[in-house]
Amino acid sequence: MYTETSPLRRALIAAGWILLGLLGLLDVFAGRDPDYRWTSWLPIVSGPLACTALLWPGRGPTTQVRAVLVAGGSLALTIGIGTVAGPDGAGTWGLLESVALLVLLSRAVWVVPRPRTAAAVSAALAVAAIAIPLRWLPKDIQTDSQTAINWCLLMTLGAGTALAWGLRARLLEEQRARDIAAVRQRQRLELAHDLHDFVAHHVTGIIVQANAALALQHTAPEQVGPLLENITRSGSETLDSMRRLVRVLREDDHEGVRPGEVWAELAHLVSAFSEDEADVRLHVAAGAREARLAPEVETSVHRVVQEALTNVRRHAHGAVVAVRVDMDGPRLRVEVHNTAPAARHPGPVGGRGGFGLVGLRERVEAVEGVLTAAPTDDGGWRVTADFPMLAAMAGSPA
């Protein structure tokens, strides 16, 4: 139930900044020789420029644009040093630039949306990264050594690792998107699953009122008008329910909440939850008990409380839970709040790795409700949903 602040993630980001800074200092001070030509100082410029492209804010150029610019600039610099600098151009390979290229390669594989574009951009970055040690080639030719080739092989290994990491992140993101879509589809099917019961409930009421109107048309004609108005309203409510739910198909039968029994079902749900030695309290305001709710809204109210309590059981063992149902102006408000757990659970619910709140939000929004879920200042979690109510019928208290 908790949004993990991830100290480890912050530590890794800080370590990354420190590493980039150290590599920049290494480019400036290590291996610099006053006798080298001006090309030996190029990493002081190329490295920070590559890091700027890597760390550019999201509102700037897209990742593929930055990647193409960095790859093209790095390749042009490699070719220029190899053809112009000569043997005195040794020492012009920047470690900061190389690391920035590899990180940008991994990010391009991950975030560039179109696979073909991602492949082309990644190939350009990989070639640029592998070719960087060739800036030592003029010196190797003069000294008959293979330093540049050996480092090219090492950069090939680095590029392969960056490519594999980016592919892993891309596949995980795609799998997460598929999981979210599956959860939403399952919630739609569950909503459609209730369609038969909801429509049967409404139509049964219409038939009863129509028969009453037929029976009273001669003995008490003044009561026929309100009955006909209620029939019209019930028919409109039935159509509204069908418009929200008929988009999807019905699957296997499941046990749902029968219309008009949502408060008894909530009491039973909380009672069952309390049997696990959990401290949970239920409060349903008098105004909420008198509110008229569409059957599909009653089912969604029950599902919100059920999902929230399930998450508390899984991720906040030992927490104190309060379930409140009250009026919020013209809408019904359902709130489930739990305190901090006795032992912090590392896995968030509804955030990374969890899809419970994704499907729950899909269900609530399908019945014109609004769902919010957020951590509280006391280290707990609060799930809040508000739902529309039906207009009061003639002769009803609500």
Side-chain angles (χ1 to χ4, degrees):
M1 291 281 295
Y2 293 88
T3 302
E4 192 175 0
T5 55
S6 185
L8 177 60
R9 178 179 175 84
R10 292 198 299 268
L12 289 175
I13 293 175
W17 279 101
I18 294 174
L19 176 62
L20 292 177
L22 291 177
L23 290 176
L25 292 176
L26 191 63
D27 284 341
V28 173
F29 295 107
R32 304 275 76 82
D33 191 319
D35 295 334
Y36 284 164
R37 299 174 56 180
W38 56 271
T39 52
S40 66
W41 295 94
L42 283 176
I44 301 175
V45 178
S46 63
L49 286 178
C51 281
T52 300
L54 173 65
L55 303 173
W56 195 270
R59 294 183 179 180
T62 60
T63 300
Q64 56 257 44
V65 172
R66 285 180 280 149
V68 169
L69 291 176
V70 171
S74 180
L75 283 172
L77 190 60
T78 299
I79 295 173
I81 291 175
T83 57
V84 175
D88 291 338
T92 55
W93 175 25
L95 292 176
L96 182 60
E97 179 185 352
S98 302
V99 171
L101 278 169
L102 293 178
V103 176
L104 195 56
L105 167 61
S106 180
R107 182 179 296 179
V109 175
W110 178 13
V111 303
V112 175
R114 297 181 178 179
R116 292 184 179 179
T117 304
V121 171
S122 302
L125 286 168
V127 170
I130 294 172
I132 281 184
L134 294 179
R135 298 174 189 178
W136 274 343
L137 192 58
K139 183 71 173 180
D140 286 351
I141 294 175
Q142 185 184 47
T143 59
D144 195 22
S145 64
Q146 295 183 343
T147 303
I149 301 301
N150 293 335
W151 278 102
C152 282
L153 294 176
L154 185 62
M155 288 299 296
T156 301
L157 179 61
T161 303
L163 181 64
W165 187 265
L167 283 174
R168 174 183 177 274
R170 188 184 186 98
L171 293 175
L172 288 176
E173 192 70 23
E174 292 176 352
Q175 182 62 46
R176 177 176 173 81
R178 287 193 295 269
D179 290 341
I180 291 176
V183 168
R184 288 176 172 172
Q185 179 66 9
R186 185 165 62 250
Q187 289 297 330
R188 294 189 184 104
L189 291 173
E190 289 179 358
L191 283 170
H193 205 83
D194 298 329
L195 180 59
H196 175 269
D197 296 334
F198 295 162
V199 172
H201 169 74
H202 282 299
V203 172
T204 300
I206 291 173
I207 294 173
V208 170
Q209 294 179 80
N211 289 334
L214 289 174
L216 295 173
Q217 64 178 337
H218 298 298
T219 59
E222 71 279 359
Q223 298 183 18
V224 174
L227 286 173
L228 293 177
E229 291 178 359
N230 288 342
I231 290 173
T232 301
R233 184 170 298 172
S234 296
S236 298
E237 293 170 2
T238 304
L239 289 176
D240 289 340
S241 298
M242 292 180 64
R243 289 191 188 100
R244 286 190 289 258
L245 304 178
V246 79
R247 299 176 184 175
V248 290
L249 299 175
R250 180 175 183 175
E251 286 188 343
D252 297 334
D253 291 335
H254 75 290
E255 183 179 356
V257 178
R258 287 177 291 184
E261 299 185 3
V262 61
W263 311 128
E265 292 290 342
L266 283 186
H268 176 72
L269 186 64
V270 170
S271 176
F273 186 81
S274 300
E275 292 177 358
D276 297 335
E277 300 181 357
D279 186 1
V280 56
R281 298 183 298 273
L282 171 65
H283 172 73
V284 181
R289 292 183 181 275
E290 297 175 356
R292 293 186 63 246
L293 303 174
E296 66 271 18
V297 171
E298 293 183 357
T299 302
S300 297
V301 169
H302 182 272
R303 192 60 58 86
V304 166
V305 177
Q306 183 183 52
E307 181 70 23
L309 293 180
T310 300
N311 288 340
V312 171
R313 179 181 288 113
R314 291 176 179 173
H315 304 279
H317 182 71
V320 178
V321 188
V323 181
R324 296 183 58 86
V325 184
D326 205 345
M327 304 299 298
D328 184 13
R331 296 173 72 86
L332 183 80
R333 180 183 178 90
V334 180
E335 178 182 291
V336 182
H337 170 257
N338 64 272
T339 60
R344 188 173 182 84
H345 192 281
V349 173
R352 291 184 181 274
F355 303 100
L357 291 181
V358 174
L360 192 61
R361 182 172 287 107
E362 184 79 11
R363 165 176 280 273
V364 172
E365 291 177 353
V367 296
E368 301 179 1
V370 178
L371 178 75
T372 58
T376 57
D377 294 336
D378 61 358
W381 192 268
R382 178 179 288 110
V383 177
T384 305
D386 66 83
F387 298 93
M389 297 185 301
L390 298 177
M393 287 188 177
S396 65

